[in-house]
Amino acid sequence: MALKNQYLIDLLETVKKRNPGEPEFIQAVTEVLETLQPVAEKRQDLIDAGVFERIVEPERQIMFRVPWVDDNGKVQVNRGFRVQFNSAIGPYKGGIRLHPSVYLGIIKFLGFEQVFKNSLTTLPMGGGKGGSDFDPKGKSDGEVMRFCQSFMTELCKHIGADTDVPAGDIGTGAREIGFMFGQYKRLRNEFTGVLTGKGLTYGGSLARTEATGYGLCYFTDEMLKANGSSFDGKTVVISGSGNVAIYATQKATELGAKVVTVSDSNGYIYDPDGIELALVQQIKEVERGRIKEYAERTSHKNAEYHEGSVWTLKCNAGSIKLDIALPCATQNEINEDGAKAIVANGGFAVAEGANMPSTPEAIETYLSNGLLYGPAKAANAGGVATSGLEMSQNSERLSWTFEEVDSKLHGIMKSIFKACDEAAKEYGCEGNYMAGANIAGFLKVAEAMKAQGCV
Ligand code: NDP
């Protein structure tokens, strides 16, 4: 969808000039502005209030040194980030990514996406994101703890239960959240819900671990049903083998599908008999190992391991036939060739567990081939929605049951699909859930920004 609206073309030019060397951020802004064209044409009041110009500029960006001492006594230095993007509808909220590829542009793209995603959840949460170029892989627990403590020593000056509430993301799971929470509590002498994704013994919510993967499947199920289909009997290709991929595999299987792949950054498993999830969990959650080991340890004789990206959809026996693709690893993992392979191998639906896993060319390929496409901001919003529910429980000083949280999550994912569907219809792009998600997410934040004046 090319930009034709002159006002938005000029704005995008300004964003490009102001944010050089940040291609992921420009990619995220471009996609949103393209789909907001019908809104810009209808809502001169939002243009007059400067909402479009303000929403693409983070309210605050914090960068800091994170020094720590490794197991050999050597000083290591990483760079920490927190981008507080937009607080129009609630405290900043968004995860912390620990991965060597992290730099300011990645955190800004994630923070920008988070603004719209959090708005879609129906809960009062603004958008933010943080992280570091620290790589937890191959580090001892002691090294991870010293890094997390150093990271929080600076971050604690900028966050708080009513200001900014970080959570997990790539490389930040229960272990890292625990170390960060402990350090925050020690430094501030406060036991508050300042982080979500906490352990169950100190304020965490049941079903938070499962929420992003489950939510992805609940959203996809709504999208399938609205188009006369379902997960039942379908073959699903999933990338990643982390938090999102594991619980998406579990829920898709529960809903009657067969998941035939999982992957990590080295390669992928193709198991035509259906992924043995307990083994993936043992390798990834318990042993922190590599997915390659699955092929050596599974009792499924036909399982194969291949180096490279799962989205080549190739295996020894031929090509991987599929119905539904759920990318759950990282940004831009599916390019145009990957999208074409999904179409050629029978895929009719793609829903994104990862943030921005499809390049613009891949999205164009889905849409021009009539695939059902559930964009990340809507499809993976179940994680942050359940973080919002964790915040509510912390404020109440109560814990809800697993069933209670899961049923609220299910209701939220249904309402997110409905909001995307209705906004797409209202703005003349029926069936384009990407446009619907961007428009619905934007309008709530935009109304709040207009009402609060030029801040
Ligand atoms: P994890 O760290 O638990 O797992 C990430 C998975 O993706 C691992 O299998 C990892 O493989 C793989 N991966 C990471 N980077 C790359 C890469 N550059 N190339 C190929 N594979 C890669 O993270 P999550 O499951 O939490 O996050 C996955 C995605 O979902 C991210 O895009 C995240 O932003 C998004 N997300 C997560 C939410 C959550 O609640 N956790 C909420 C909403 C979105 P390896 O082990 O080799 O690195």
Side-chain angles (χ1 to χ4, degrees):
M1 203 188 290
L3 258 187
K4 298 197 186 92
N5 179 295
Q6 195 56 45
Y7 168 73
L8 294 178
I9 291 173
D10 294 344
L11 176 57
L12 184 59
E13 272 317 300
T14 309
V15 173
K16 285 181 181 166
K17 276 198 200 116
R18 261 203 186 142
N19 302 281
E22 296 177 0
E24 298 84 1
F25 178 55
I26 303 299
Q27 182 183 337
V29 173
T30 305
E31 178 210 290
V32 168
L33 293 186
E34 282 175 359
T35 53
L36 289 181
Q37 294 186 93
V39 181
E41 272 140 35
K42 224 174 180 178
R43 296 292 305 269
Q44 185 61 38
D45 59 319
L46 297 179
I47 295 179
D48 294 343
V51 167
F52 292 88
E53 283 95 337
R54 287 189 283 142
I55 209 166
V56 294
E57 183 69 15
E59 288 177 15
R60 193 174 297 105
Q61 311 184 46
I62 301 142
M63 282 172 61
F64 49 97
R65 181 170 70 198
V66 189
W68 56 280
V69 179
D70 70 17
D71 286 348
N72 298 318
K74 189 170 179 300
V75 172
Q76 302 284 346
V77 177
N78 286 102
R79 184 172 283 181
F81 303 89
R82 187 74 186 163
V83 172
Q84 298 179 329
F85 220 108
N86 193 301
S87 61
I89 62 167
Y92 310 105
K93 179 94 197 81
I96 291 173
R97 178 172 293 191
L98 300 181
H99 193 271
S101 63
V102 165
Y103 76 105
L104 185 62
I106 293 271
I107 301 300
K108 276 166 68 178
F109 115 66
L110 290 163
F112 181 70
E113 294 274 298
Q114 199 82 44
V115 175
F116 302 89
K117 181 188 310 193
N118 292 4
S119 164
L120 284 170
T121 64
T122 69
L123 303 173
M125 299 183 290
K129 199 84 188 186
S132 171
D133 56 3
F134 174 78
D135 187 0
K137 275 206 259 327
K139 304 286 192 306
S140 69
D141 285 351
E143 289 176 324
V144 170
M145 181 179 75
R146 291 192 291 280
F147 167 81
C148 289
Q149 291 181 337
S150 180
F151 183 79
M152 185 51 85
T153 300
E154 177 59 31
L155 188 67
C156 77
K157 299 169 191 163
H158 311 284
I159 62 175
D162 295 318
T163 315
D164 183 356
V165 183
D169 190 72
I170 291 179
T172 306
R175 174 181 62 170
E176 291 76 17
I177 292 288
F179 292 148
M180 289 181 196
F181 181 79
Q183 183 73 348
Y184 182 89
K185 187 165 62 65
R186 174 164 75 168
L187 291 170
R188 302 293 289 263
N189 197 23
E190 285 177 0
F191 194 113
T192 63
V194 66
L195 291 160
T196 58
K198 299 186 289 299
L200 294 177
T201 53
Y202 59 95
S205 172
L206 286 161
R208 173 61 187 93
T209 308
E210 293 83 356
T212 309
Y214 279 21
L216 169 65
C217 293
Y218 293 147
F219 179 92
T220 308
D221 196 34
E222 290 301 304
M223 180 171 80
L224 294 172
K225 279 193 208 141
N227 291 277
S229 186
S230 76
F231 268 111
D232 199 30
K234 303 295 187 302
T235 301
V236 177
V237 167
I238 288 185
S239 63
S241 50
N243 173 267
V244 181
I246 284 175
Y247 294 99
T249 300
Q250 188 180 84
K251 186 53 76 178
T253 308
E254 246 176 70
L255 293 172
K258 182 163 74 171
V259 177
V260 294
T261 63
V262 281
S263 71
D264 62 19
S265 48
N266 297 108
Y268 64 94
I269 296 292
Y270 171 56
D271 187 344
D273 300 319
I275 292 291
E276 200 187 322
L277 189 61
L279 180 56
V280 176
Q281 289 183 283
Q282 176 64 25
I283 294 169
K284 286 292 179 180
E285 293 183 333
V286 180
E287 299 167 18
R288 297 180 190 276
R290 307 306 299 161
I291 204 61
K292 185 180 185 172
E293 296 164 40
Y294 179 97
E296 293 148 18
R297 291 164 61 178
T298 178
S299 58
H300 295 184
K301 298 214 170 34
N302 299 317
E304 302 172 6
Y305 173 74
H306 298 274
E307 300 280 328
S309 165
V310 67
W311 302 114
T312 58
L313 295 176
K314 294 252 161 44
C315 64
N316 286 341
S319 63
I320 301 176
K321 293 285 167 212
L322 77 160
D323 299 303
I324 299 163
L326 302 178
C328 296
T330 195
Q331 65 275 352
N332 291 329
E333 56 175 297
I334 307 183
N335 59 17
E336 187 174 4
D337 287 344
K340 284 183 176 159
I342 291 172
V343 175
N345 288 9
F348 71 90
V350 179
E352 299 178 332
N355 283 309
M356 206 168 76
S358 310
T359 64
E361 298 76 25
I363 296 172
E364 198 44 52
T365 305
Y366 308 148
L367 298 180
S368 62
N369 284 281
L371 268 62
L372 301 177
Y373 170 51
K377 318 187 167 63
N380 74 22
V384 72
T386 308
S387 278
L389 301 177
E390 182 173 332
M391 289 165 74
S392 303
Q393 293 169 77
N394 292 162
S395 305
E396 282 188 337
R397 303 211 187 284
L398 287 174
S399 300
W400 305 338
T401 62
F402 188 97
E403 290 69 29
E404 207 173 343
V405 180
D406 188 34
S407 102
K408 284 190 165 69
L409 166 66
H410 201 161
I412 289 171
M413 298 316 295
K414 282 184 175 181
S415 72
I416 293 177
F417 177 76
K418 191 161 173 268
C420 297
D421 192 30
E422 287 176 356
K425 283 180 184 147
E426 188 182 337
Y427 282 85
C429 35
E430 184 166 354
N432 183 339
Y433 306 120
M434 169 178 69
N438 289 341
I439 293 169
F442 170 80
L443 283 173
K444 179 175 175 190
V445 178
E447 301 294 2
M449 288 175 75
K450 184 183 159 198
Q452 291 168 24
C454 182
V455 294

